[in-house]
Each structure stands twice: as C-alpha cells, then as structure tokens.
Amino acid sequence: MTLVLERVHESIASPAGIFVVADGMGGHANGQGASRATIALIAERVTRELLLAPLQTEKSGEEAPKTDDETYKEILRGAVEDANTTLCQINQKDKSDMGSTLTGFMIVGDHAYIFNVGDSRTYMLRDEKLYQLTNDHSLVGQLVAGGLIEPDDVYTHPQRNQIFRSIGDKQNVQVDLFTQQIHPGDILLSCSDGLWEMIRDPQIAEILNHAPDPQSACAQLIETANTNGGEDNVSAVVVFVR
C-alpha cells in the first residue's frame, strides 16, 4: 500500500507518505483477507491521526499540538495495534486463524519511521550498499542473531517458515519501531519473505542500483523472484528519496 498525504496550513505544506507491505497467512482466503484488513485499518488510523484530528482541533478554535518523532511513532504503533486487535477479534468470533506479517515506513521530512512485525523486511540502499533495517521475528532470525547458524542458512533451514510475531496472533503485539534519517539518493524497499527468500541481498542491491525509477525496480524484483522459484507471494514497495 502507498498512501501520500499533504496538509497545508498557513501556506506551509506538511507532506507525509506511508508505505506498507502486509503478507497474509492462514490459507489463501484468510491470508488475503488478513493482509487487506491490516492495510485498510492502518491507512484509516494514520489518516485520522495525521489529518482529521488536527482539523477537528483547529475547528474548535484550539491550536493543533506540535508533532515530533515520538508523536509519529505513537501514531504508527497505535495503527498497528488497532489492526492487530481487530484481526484477533475476527479470529475469535469466526474461529479462524487469519494473520499477517507487516513492515513498512512513514516518511515525514528527512526521516523515515520504520515498523516491522514478522519476517517481512525493510531495506535501505545508500551509496550503492544494501542495509537490512528490520530484524526477522523468526526462528532462523533468532538462530542467526545467536550465532548458531550462518546468515545464508536462513534460505534453506527446514524451519525457516516459523515466525514468532504476526498481526492477529495475540492481543498484545510487539512492534519494532524506529527512526532512520534519509538523504537524497537513498532507496527504501519493503518486501515480503516471498521476495527476499528468492533473491539474495547482492542481487537486490544490483537491481535497485540500476533501476531508473521505483516502478521499474518493483517490476524487476518481482519478475526475478518468480524466475528464481517464486515459491510464495511476492509483494514489494520501493521509494526513491529525492
């Protein structure tokens, strides 16, 4: 999902963009429903907090509160928690097991506010080098962090699909959330595990380094993932920082 908002107050524009990848789980129908619901709920909450809440405040004659790093992070945390609560309620009511991993970022000014639940990833390409910004909440991710397996083993480990966090699994979801300063020339990529499991990081970096625009980068990444095996759903969002 890509959502770009711009609020203009006293001739000063305050643009913000939110970019999200949600990878559904629980079978085709449940997984598709979970990812769509997750994205819709997050978009609704972020729009309400960034646009509607300040308008209501100004309408009542009050001055809108100043926003800072912590405000933006709390907006995102609240949005993810809302989505999680709703999916948990649906699962309890329907006795279903729909769920979703989630990653993405909100860009405001020269900062990206990055969030992650599960094993979908957000990367940054800077000066032609690729950096994985998020941590995988998975068994293999934990094994790599503990030095028990090598990083390349995550692609072939028999339990590589076992994840520890997801949207819709437990009422109290833990969200990784942090701030990354961005510069012109940076490229941000959020993707499902269906992409990064099929394309190793050096090839991701090569594609991003040579793509003329974000749409071309997405198309080439998805095509390459499918050519390399395409064993899972492939989702990606790419943003070029100008």
Side-chain angles (χ1 to χ4, degrees):
M1 177 201 74
T2 298
L3 177 65
V4 179
L5 309 168
E6 184 172 63
R7 179 170 170 266
V8 180
H9 178 64
E10 296 180 350
S11 301
I12 299 174
S14 302
I18 183 165
F19 309 89
V20 184
V21 166
D23 187 18
M25 304 177 299
H28 177 72
N30 277 348
Q32 190 176 65
S35 60
R36 285 179 176 174
T38 298
I39 285 174
L41 290 160
I42 289 173
E44 180 183 4
R45 173 71 180 260
V46 169
T47 301
R48 186 168 71 243
E49 295 289 341
L50 284 182
L51 292 183
L52 299 183
L55 287 174
Q56 290 295 328
T57 302
E58 290 167 10
K59 184 180 176 181
S60 65
E62 301 173 20
E63 185 176 344
K66 300 294 183 184
T67 50
D68 55 18
D69 277 8
E70 288 307 311
T71 304
Y72 292 127
K73 287 195 284 188
E74 285 310 307
I75 288 172
L76 289 171
R77 189 185 308 280
V80 174
E81 289 175 349
D82 273 2
N84 181 70
T85 298
T86 300
L87 256 64
C88 284
Q89 290 171 345
I90 292 171
N91 282 334
Q92 188 175 23
K93 177 173 174 266
D94 297 344
K95 295 182 172 54
S96 58
D97 63 347
M98 66 164 55
S100 180
T101 66
L102 177 73
T103 193
F105 48 94
M106 182 167 72
I107 294 179
V108 183
D110 62 352
H111 287 84
Y113 301 91
I114 298 158
F115 50 93
N116 186 56
V117 177
D119 62 352
S120 291
R121 290 180 177 178
T122 293
Y123 292 91
M124 179 178 69
L125 187 86
R126 173 174 290 173
D127 298 330
E128 300 187 351
K129 295 179 181 178
L130 189 70
Y131 302 90
Q132 181 183 332
L133 300 180
T134 54
N135 295 313
D136 300 335
H137 305 138
S138 62
L139 175 62
V140 290
Q142 193 173 67
L143 293 175
V144 170
L148 298 175
I149 64 173
E150 294 299 317
D152 280 352
D153 293 336
V154 302
Y155 301 101
T156 56
H157 195 280
Q159 292 173 288
R160 62 186 179 277
N161 293 324
Q162 184 175 335
I163 63 172
F164 295 146
R165 298 189 206 173
S166 63
I167 303 297
D169 181 34
K170 300 173 183 175
Q171 281 290 348
N172 296 314
V173 64
Q174 287 183 278
V175 187
D176 281 3
L177 189 56
F178 55 95
T179 306
Q180 171 68 51
Q181 189 164 26
I182 53 177
H183 308 297
D186 290 346
I187 299 176
L188 294 171
L189 162 68
S190 287
C191 64
S192 63
D193 64 327
L195 190 147
W196 65 258
E197 284 187 355
M198 294 293 103
I199 313 178
R200 304 293 173 96
D201 287 5
Q203 193 173 15
I204 292 176
E206 183 181 2
I207 291 170
L208 293 178
N209 274 316
H210 293 94
D213 54 69
Q215 188 60 44
S216 300
C218 270
Q220 191 172 354
L221 286 166
I222 292 170
E223 181 182 355
T224 303
N226 287 326
T227 299
N228 289 356
E231 295 177 4
D232 201 352
N233 296 327
V234 182
S235 300
V237 173
V238 176
V239 172
F240 284 25
V241 181
R242 302 299 189 190

